[in-house]
Amino acid sequence: MDIVVCVKRVPLTEEVDIIIDDKKKGIKQDQLAFVLNDWDNYAVEEAILLKEKYGGTVTAITVGNEDDEEVLRRSLAMGADKAIRVEAGDLSRFDSLSIAKILSATLKDLQYDLALTGVLADDDNSGAVGIMLAELLNLNHCAMVTAIDIKDGKANTTSELEGGLGEVSLIDLPALLTIQTGINEPRYVSILGIRKAAKKELKVIGLEELGVSEEELTPKTIIEEAYLPPETEGAQILSGDPDKIASDFVEILKKKGVME
Amino acid sequence: MSEIFVVIEHRLGEIRDITYEMLWKAGDLSEKLSHTVTAVLLGHEVDPIAENIKDRADKIIIYDDERLKNFNADISKEILAGLIKDLKPEIILAGNTSWGAELAPALSVKTGLPLATDCIDIASENGKIIAQRQMYSGKIFSNVSFAKSDGYIFTIRSGVFPKDKIGDRQAETIQKDFPVPDRELKKSFVEFVETAAGDVDIAQADLLVSVGRGIGEEENIAIVKELSEALNGILSCSRPIVDKNWLPKYLQVGTSGKSVSPKVYVAVGISGAFQHMAGLSGAGTIIAINKDPKAPIFRTAHYGIVDDLFKIVPALKEKALTAKKG
């Protein structure tokens, strides 16, 4: 069972003041910490669990700059065997389809039974790259997968639907699955583990080597403007010391009829 | 004049709410763009569904075939791509649902039409189509435009448009034959499984005290549970808590969990991702406790407490216990 898993490095935006960048196309990132995209973390873990069960190799792939190698090293430390970084310069000039095309050119020369991606990335929240990649490679696909069982060259997958329902499908391999959070419990990675994984193979490929031209990567979907959420009336904030807040809180519950 | 396609979503014989919401938006756009609304309905024995939406579209194109009994993204994509080639709709709407998220990106590649996912609005400005969407889990909004194209594909977020009828319509129905050559399915439907069955039904509760990612560690959930008990409420949670296996799925509020309608919903350490808030549309009063004043939940909550939950939650519990005694 050879598996490729596509990963992305994204900024952490919880509890930070987000500032729109000067071009108004995104956010200022220089002050932010970066992590492996949450969904991709589950995808890497799933790839490694499948490898541990069925044998084979795991290759982690990212499109990005040298800093983005951090998420590849993390994937290697989790148990991936090798990693590929596609150097494509400034990614802000691309849309989901451009990235899918780059990944497609990267995957077409690899041998694999399963390709995994996260359902979506926590930065652009598009959730399109995985299925676009499947379509470009003419791969069978399942989205929002929360369970995988391999049997006789087929995958038995459960996809998450709305309202607490799962949909079980049987799908021929090779296939691409987009992985939903909660499918497993991603393992902890130590700094020592990341250092040890530095010996593993990390290959860097350029766009020319992949044979994709700048022209075919021209985006079709373009961010005109990024902006902070429009003001809403918002919540009435309870203030004061905890005791005062608690009194106000209890008053609200009484008024709303859920407390005597 | 062109057409607006709405890909009708239904499951187990029921029309999904997103279908009505998309038809509303299609109706709204049709007036502004002088387009007509075409519902595209794929399934088996779907006449009752067509009947139900015929006053919301100008045309319903039906593909009724046993092979379409269960949703299949690959076949749906083939059928839609053919239909789009024939009729050249300017706008194609699908749900930003599990099924739509598997269909739309493939359809975009297959047809070459640009795609914007998870849209919260679509507008036409000076003849240019603009989609509004969110990034960074709703902390940033963006307006998206497209390279010039014959048509554009959008997936629509659930719950942002009304389910109401808009305009006065009487659709003609057109039955089409299954156009995809017979072949062995590379992906086949096996079954639906309940993933959120359990002993407690949070959908019935009048008061929910809900815990989210901000709780940090599994053992800290105890303080929120104690608060829920002091208030005679029921403990529920947001997705990250279930993802970490700290609480069972049947306690999860949100699109992939349960929709709830308590009189009061107390959200502890929940940032308010739209998937969570979508499960709360029936809630009476929302009180959010979060130390991040920028947390999106404060945009929809009625009351907010911006403070460290580890300081506030015990104080609320004590006050609730005293009030009960008093």
Side-chain angles (χ1 to χ4, degrees):
Chain A
M1 171 92 9
D2 292 323
I3 304 169
V4 294
V5 53
C6 306
V7 298
K8 185 177 192 182
R9 180 172 166 267
V10 296
L12 265 179
T13 54
E14 287 206 6
E15 291 172 40
V16 294
D17 270 325
I18 298 183
I19 302 164
I20 302 290
D21 66 18
D22 298 334
K23 289 183 190 159
K24 296 196 172 147
K25 304 283 182 194
I27 62 171
K28 280 195 177 161
Q29 304 198 332
D30 46 342
Q31 300 295 321
L32 300 178
F34 284 78
V35 288
L36 173 59
N37 177 43
D38 202 24
W39 284 266
D40 302 346
N41 192 24
Y42 285 94
V44 173
E45 177 65 31
E46 194 61 22
I48 291 157
L49 290 174
L50 289 168
K51 178 183 97 163
E52 287 169 353
K53 203 161 164 193
Y54 303 105
T57 61
V58 173
T59 305
I61 302 177
T62 198
V63 181
N65 60 30
E66 225 168 291
D67 290 340
D68 294 316
E69 285 184 8
E70 181 187 319
V71 294
L72 293 178
R73 279 191 223 100
R74 186 190 158 88
S75 304
L76 291 169
M78 286 172 79
D81 301 280
K82 47 193 171 174
I84 300 172
R85 173 171 73 86
V86 181
E87 174 57 62
D90 178 11
L91 300 185
S92 69
R93 70 187 193 283
F94 295 142
D95 64 1
S96 298
L97 182 60
S98 326
I99 300 292
K101 281 179 176 167
I102 295 170
L103 287 170
S104 152
T106 315
L107 263 66
K108 86 178 184 304
D109 297 325
L110 302 177
Q111 288 292 322
Y112 55 90
D113 306 288
L114 268 182
L116 306 183
T117 70
V119 164
L120 57 84
D122 199 28
D123 48 7
D124 63 19
N125 294 169
S126 281
V129 168
I131 299 298
M132 283 179 160
L133 175 60
E135 181 67 20
L136 288 166
L137 291 166
N138 204 13
L139 285 173
N140 306 320
H141 48 82
C142 267
M144 300 217 186
V145 172
T146 56
I148 305 170
D149 191 27
I150 306 289
K151 231 186 203 165
D152 308 325
K154 288 175 191 268
N156 214 300
T157 60
T158 306
S159 289
E160 178 183 287
L161 302 185
E162 296 75 21
L165 209 61
E167 180 181 11
V168 181
S169 307
L170 197 61
I171 180 168
D172 287 4
L173 302 183
L176 183 142
L177 311 178
T178 74
I179 302 297
Q180 179 60 298
T181 57
I183 187 174
N184 51 43
E185 293 181 47
R187 64 198 68 193
Y188 175 75
V189 178
S190 67
I191 299 199
L192 186 68
I194 291 179
R195 229 176 271 155
K196 272 188 184 162
K199 292 191 200 92
K200 290 186 179 174
E201 179 189 329
L202 195 164
K203 200 164 119 187
V204 181
I205 315 179
L207 286 183
E208 324 72 54
E209 260 176 276
L210 290 175
V212 266
S213 69
E214 195 64 32
E215 198 192 341
E216 38 180 325
L217 298 179
T218 309
K220 294 182 178 185
T221 304
I222 304 134
I223 296 178
E224 288 280 323
E225 188 187 359
Y227 49 97
L228 292 172
E231 292 286 329
T232 59
E233 203 173 301
Q236 181 186 330
I237 302 298
L238 309 182
S239 53
D241 60 32
D243 189 64
K244 163 83 167 53
I245 289 173
S247 300
D248 291 348
F249 176 80
V250 163
E251 280 313 307
I252 295 166
L253 296 198
K254 283 182 178 165
K255 212 167 75 190
K256 299 296 170 189
V258 290
M259 223 173 137
E260 300 274 301
Chain B
M1 197 164 92
S2 177
E3 294 178 55
I4 302 172
F5 272 19
V6 176
V7 182
I8 301 301
E9 189 159 327
H10 56 98
R11 189 204 292 166
L12 298 166
E14 302 267 339
I15 299 175
R16 307 289 299 164
D17 282 351
I18 182 69
T19 292
Y20 295 121
E21 294 159 12
M22 289 191 289
L23 286 166
W24 183 91
K25 185 64 208 176
D28 170 58
L29 282 169
S30 78
E31 287 169 11
K32 289 167 187 149
L33 299 169
S34 313
H35 287 356
T36 54
V37 177
T38 302
V40 184
L41 175 55
L42 279 60
H44 186 43
E45 293 170 345
V46 288
D47 286 349
I49 290 170
E51 187 60 31
N52 242 309
I53 56 171
K54 75 168 187 240
D55 56 353
R56 295 167 188 251
D58 301 298
K59 186 160 72 178
I60 306 177
I61 300 178
I62 303 174
Y63 291 87
D64 193 326
D65 192 284
E66 211 184 330
R67 286 161 288 189
L68 296 170
K69 189 169 171 233
N70 296 297
F71 172 79
N72 182 295
D74 197 34
I75 293 178
S76 302
K77 173 202 71 192
E78 296 284 345
I79 293 176
L80 283 163
L83 200 59
I84 289 167
K85 206 172 154 206
D86 289 347
L87 299 179
K88 299 197 169 35
E90 190 187 14
I91 291 173
I92 297 117
L93 306 182
N96 189 56
T97 54
S98 295
W99 288 344
E102 192 181 347
L103 168 67
L107 186 64
S108 167
V109 171
K110 175 91 185 174
T111 56
L113 304 182
L115 168 72
T117 56
D118 198 14
C119 299
I120 56 173
D121 207 359
I122 302 167
S124 168
E125 289 172 18
N126 311 321
K128 203 169 163 188
I129 304 279
I130 303 276
Q132 188 184 43
R133 52 187 312 280
Q134 297 178 348
M135 305 192 292
Y136 300 97
S137 313
K139 290 177 214 82
I140 296 291
F141 280 47
S142 65
N143 291 345
V144 170
S145 69
F146 307 93
K148 188 147 180 48
S149 167
D150 290 340
Y152 309 91
I153 304 173
F154 304 87
T155 66
I156 303 297
R157 177 177 291 185
S158 296
V160 293
F161 298 121
K163 296 175 200 34
D164 308 335
K165 211 172 82 167
I166 188 167
D168 201 14
R169 292 168 206 277
Q170 195 58 40
E172 54 161 334
T173 45
I174 300 165
Q175 299 276 351
K176 295 257 195 181
D177 289 331
F178 188 77
V180 182
D182 231 344
R183 56 174 173 181
E184 216 180 307
L185 284 181
K186 300 223 162 145
K187 175 187 169 191
S188 52
F189 174 84
V190 179
E191 60 176 339
F192 288 123
V193 286
E194 278 293 339
T195 56
D199 303 336
V200 182
D201 187 3
I202 55 173
Q204 302 298 325
D206 272 345
L207 173 61
L208 285 171
V209 181
S210 210
V211 56
R213 196 197 293 267
I215 200 69
E217 301 291 334
E218 184 173 8
E219 57 265 29
N220 297 338
I221 291 174
I223 65 163
V224 183
K225 188 163 181 14
E226 285 165 20
L227 175 62
S228 74
E229 285 163 358
L231 295 169
N232 300 327
I234 303 278
L235 180 72
S236 58
C237 64
S238 66
R239 175 169 198 128
I241 301 296
V242 175
D243 281 350
K244 287 182 161 59
N245 250 331
W246 291 350
L247 286 175
K249 181 101 183 162
Y250 61 82
L251 295 182
Q252 185 193 326
V253 174
T255 32
S256 64
K258 290 226 170 96
S259 288
V260 297
S261 46
K263 286 183 188 154
V264 175
Y265 186 81
V266 182
V268 182
I270 292 176
S271 64
F274 79 89
Q275 293 94 337
H276 184 74
M277 302 315 286
L280 275 179
S281 52
T285 301
I286 301 170
I287 308 175
I289 304 166
N290 201 303
K291 68 175 170 196
D292 180 4
K294 296 269 168 59
I297 194 158
F298 290 122
R299 293 171 59 78
T300 29
H302 303 90
Y303 298 96
I305 300 172
V306 183
D307 208 337
D308 181 2
L309 71 92
F310 296 101
K311 214 165 75 192
I312 289 297
V313 171
L316 299 182
K317 183 188 92 178
E318 288 313 316
K319 190 63 83 180
L321 290 175
T322 324
K324 269 207 293 197
K325 271 185 224 149

